Amino acid sequence: EPEVTQTPSHQVTQMGQEVILRCVPISNHLYFYWYRQILGQKVEFLVSFYNNEISEKSEIFDDQFSVERPDGSNFTLKIRSTKLEDSAMYFCASSPGGRGETQYFGPGTRLLVL
Amino acid sequence: EDKVVQSPLSLVVHEGDTVTLNCSYEVTNFRSLLWYKQEKKAPTFLFMLTSSGIEKKSGRLSSILDKKELFSILNITATQTGDSAVYLCAPRGNTGKLIFGQGTTLQVKP
């Protein structure tokens, strides 16, 4: 069964460093999402992406964040200058098409900013 | 502001028990509500509900939505230890983003 994959599974970085989290959505899916979950808190929406552009972003998704689909398979989340409070589990999700469809989640990347 | 409240926050039962998990929501331009199971990492999809009063069923799990009263329930019958997980409710408005509740942690003891 096709699934969303994410790399790396864990990343440790120093405050102020740039990180890139990678996702391979399910093939033929058209909508892509990033969510994050700070330890012990709710899963929070960051951004949605369709047709090579951002469709919606939350207030968390400030200028330090960016997303890109550099080729036909990868979908990346970049944090330019990480802060301690960026430490969280980051989930990528994809859906086949349309805002009403089921979103399938990847296993997540655990980011720790020291 | 959109709001999702799940109850109870945690629950401990014994194998064979039946549990009911609750989710109440206030979401602008509500379109659908999804339930996920989160064990160690990724939320895995259980149900998507769009219409009131129509029960969705998958094995021992079932779910229903009440759009008038703005809530949904997830039932698990004959619980097994493998049902131990965090169950997440995530309604959605017309923009596509999921708005998650804080989850219900279910522990099923042998």
Side-chain angles (χ1 to χ4, degrees):
Chain A
E1 186 176 324
E3 55 186 25
V4 178
T5 59
Q6 290 185 242
T7 54
S9 57
H10 293 81
Q11 176 138 12
V12 181
T13 190
Q14 296 290 324
M15 193 168 58
Q17 295 296 304
E18 174 183 286
V19 295
I20 297 176
L21 310 183
R22 292 185 166 79
C23 168
V24 179
I26 294 172
S27 178
N28 298 324
H29 280 196
L30 301 176
Y31 282 77
F32 313 114
Y33 306 84
W34 284 101
Y35 293 83
R36 78 172 186 191
Q37 187 174 30
I38 295 170
L39 193 62
Q41 296 188 23
K42 297 181 185 185
V43 177
E44 302 173 286
F45 168 78
L46 292 177
V47 66
S48 58
F49 191 85
Y50 169 69
N51 202 24
N52 280 321
E53 59 183 32
I54 290 173
S55 339
E56 187 181 6
K57 58 184 181 180
S58 70
E59 56 258 22
I60 303 167
F61 194 90
D62 60 21
D63 292 344
Q64 293 300 310
F65 290 87
S66 62
V67 289
E68 199 177 36
R69 188 155 162 81
D71 53 43
S73 58
N74 288 285
F75 178 51
T76 62
L77 174 69
K78 183 194 289 187
I79 310 174
R80 284 191 190 83
S81 177
T82 48
K83 306 184 189 80
L84 297 176
E85 55 264 36
D86 294 326
S87 295
M89 179 74 92
Y90 287 81
F91 293 110
C92 172
S94 69
S95 66
R99 291 173 181 153
E101 302 221 19
T102 299
Q103 293 178 26
Y104 296 91
F105 282 73
T109 293
R110 169 73 67 192
L111 176 66
L112 179 59
V113 182
L114 301 176
Chain B
E1 188 183 329
D2 296 331
K3 192 171 156 185
V4 183
V5 177
Q6 291 187 243
S7 63
L9 290 180
S10 66
L11 195 52
V12 181
V13 300
H14 286 94
E15 274 192 314
D17 288 349
T18 293
V19 298
T20 298
L21 310 183
N22 304 292
C23 174
S24 65
Y25 64 88
E26 292 173 31
V27 170
T28 306
N29 297 318
F30 173 85
R31 289 295 176 90
S32 58
L33 185 145
L34 284 73
W35 282 96
Y36 287 87
K37 178 182 182 184
Q38 186 176 29
E39 292 178 85
K40 295 207 168 123
K41 285 192 175 179
T44 52
F45 172 73
L46 295 174
F47 298 110
M48 183 168 75
L49 305 158
T50 53
S51 302
S52 266
I54 298 174
E55 186 183 53
K56 291 224 172 171
K57 205 166 164 57
S58 175
R60 295 176 295 102
L61 278 66
S62 63
S63 185
I64 198 159
L65 176 68
D66 185 328
K67 286 163 76 171
K68 185 178 172 193
E69 299 298 328
L70 307 182
F71 77 88
S72 175
I73 60 172
L74 175 69
N75 280 317
I76 309 174
T77 58
T79 50
Q80 301 171 357
T81 54
D83 296 326
S84 297
V86 177
Y87 290 84
L88 300 171
C89 165
R92 169 167 57 194
N94 61 359
T95 65
K97 73 178 183 190
L98 295 174
I99 303 148
F100 282 88
Q102 69 273 51
T104 293
T105 301
L106 174 65
Q107 184 185 355
V108 181
K109 291 187 170 180

